[in-house]
Amino acid sequence: MQPIFQRDRLDSLMPSMTGAVEDMLARWNDLARSNTPVDAGVEMGKLALDVITRALFGTGGAAIAEDVVKSVAVLQEYTSYLFWTLNPLAAKLPTPYHRRFLAAVAAIDAVIYRFIHERSAARAGNGAMLDELLKARDPETGCGMDEKSLRDEVVTLFLAGHETTANALTWTWYLLDRHPGIRERLESEAAALTGHPATIQDLNALPYARQVAQEAMRLYPPVWSFNRFALGPDTLGAYRIPRGTTVFIPPWVLHRHPSLWEDPERFDPERFTPARSTGRHRYAYLPFGAGPRICIGSHLALMEMQVVLALVAPRYRLRLGSDHPVSPQGLITTRPSKPIMMRLERLI
Ligand code: HEM
């Protein structure tokens, strides 16, 4: 799948990405006028879903958004319940909770299979990622993917490709509201870019937006922890790791560790200037993991965050409705424990 994530391919996604943001901003017009607060997580969820649907399938995601956003929330809750529960039979019990999970999987599968069938039947390609996967052939056997393998790959890209980015953007708006000086600097950088960021090259004019995104993912890494399974005995510092151990690698802890970061709790995008990034330990910052299984969509995600910040920041300020404390919850991703309700303050 590497070729579909290469830079020239990502450049071709810019028009659909800016299109998805513009559609959201058009929707926000009335909400801003009537001073209706929005749930930042839901808004960013719908936006990131629209972006990944356009990239994968070549068509907008508005029609499927409600169902998918709800189903993903069920998947998150149920899988983290399985993760934390001490009941070894939990995954097998036909509880209402389990049935709700199966219904959510079926709802997402229905969406994915519909797109797979539509695109397989289409005579002409539409250049979307799914078309590339349909064309992919195993170099040794010459065979394409069977329908189940294709579903598995597509569902991974679909879920990994929007939930994480939505999450990162949600925390970014939250942090920006708490740090007006940083928000104003971001607003002026974005306002100075005449017209839209239309190509990947334009993103070079938005270094601060990139730093803001990176720093938000330091404090709120969407994947707060990932794990590895020890294939053989190993030693890690003072610890012996027996074969078969599950080892957790928690970006949440690494990113806030005082031996790795100065004043770690402070939101400070300046940490990510090239000058201040040199010399940092290569595993101090792992929002996208590391090594052979590093996130395949990291460039796409950072590009998307930059585009969203650049298009939204000069036009709207997202303001927290109240001072209620917002705390994170470690599900599969780092979700806010309660909805982050924000008012849309129109700037231009
Ligand atoms: C801010 C956004 C994102 C974050 C924070 C993120 C984070 C991660 C992390 C930490 C991993 C590694 C997990 C591990 O090592 O066990 C990963 C893997 C992966 N990500 Fe992302 N991701 C993001 C966006 C995306 C996007 C946009 C896509 C695709 C469109 C994507 C697709 C994948 C896939 C397919 C894998 C599995 C790679 C493999 O196992 O070889 N991610 N992601």
Side-chain angles (χ1 to χ4, degrees), residues 5 52 156-157 160-161 164-165 168 217 222-223 226 228 287-289 293-297 300-301:
F5 288 94
I52 196 67
T156 304
L157 291 176
T164 42
T165 316
M217 285 193 287
V223 178
F226 51 92
R228 290 293 181 270
F288 297 111
R293 307 217 69 92
I294 195 167
C295 176
I296 200 171
L300 170 58

Side-chain angles (χ1 to χ4, degrees), residues 127-188:
M129 289 175 173
L130 175 57
D131 272 13
E132 299 300 318
L133 295 178
L134 282 165
K135 279 192 274 175
R137 292 289 172 270
D138 185 314
E140 279 166 25
T141 64
C143 295
M145 275 188 257
D146 60 44
E147 199 175 81
K148 172 70 170 62
S149 310
L150 197 57
R151 173 268 177 207
D152 289 350
E153 298 300 345
V154 173
V155 94
T156 304
L157 291 176
F158 186 61
L159 296 180
H162 82 273
E163 169 59 26
T164 42
T165 316
N167 196 270
L169 283 165
T170 305
W171 289 112
T172 307
W173 294 123
Y174 167 71
L175 286 164
L176 287 171
D177 178 68
R178 306 279 89 181
H179 299 84
I182 294 173
R183 184 186 62 209
E184 277 157 30
R185 186 163 160 203
L186 172 74
E187 286 165 5
S188 36

Side-chain angles (χ1 to χ4, degrees), residues 169-222:
L169 283 165
T170 305
W171 289 112
T172 307
W173 294 123
Y174 167 71
L175 286 164
L176 287 171
D177 178 68
R178 306 279 89 181
H179 299 84
I182 294 173
R183 184 186 62 209
E184 277 157 30
R185 186 163 160 203
L186 172 74
E187 286 165 5
S188 36
E189 178 186 81
L193 188 81
T194 47
H196 283 167
T199 66
I200 286 197
Q201 273 67 38
D202 293 333
L203 300 183
N204 295 336
L206 297 163
Y208 197 63
R210 190 181 172 89
Q211 286 167 225
V212 166
Q214 288 169 311
E215 173 69 345
M217 285 193 287
R218 182 186 68 82
L219 279 175
Y220 292 94

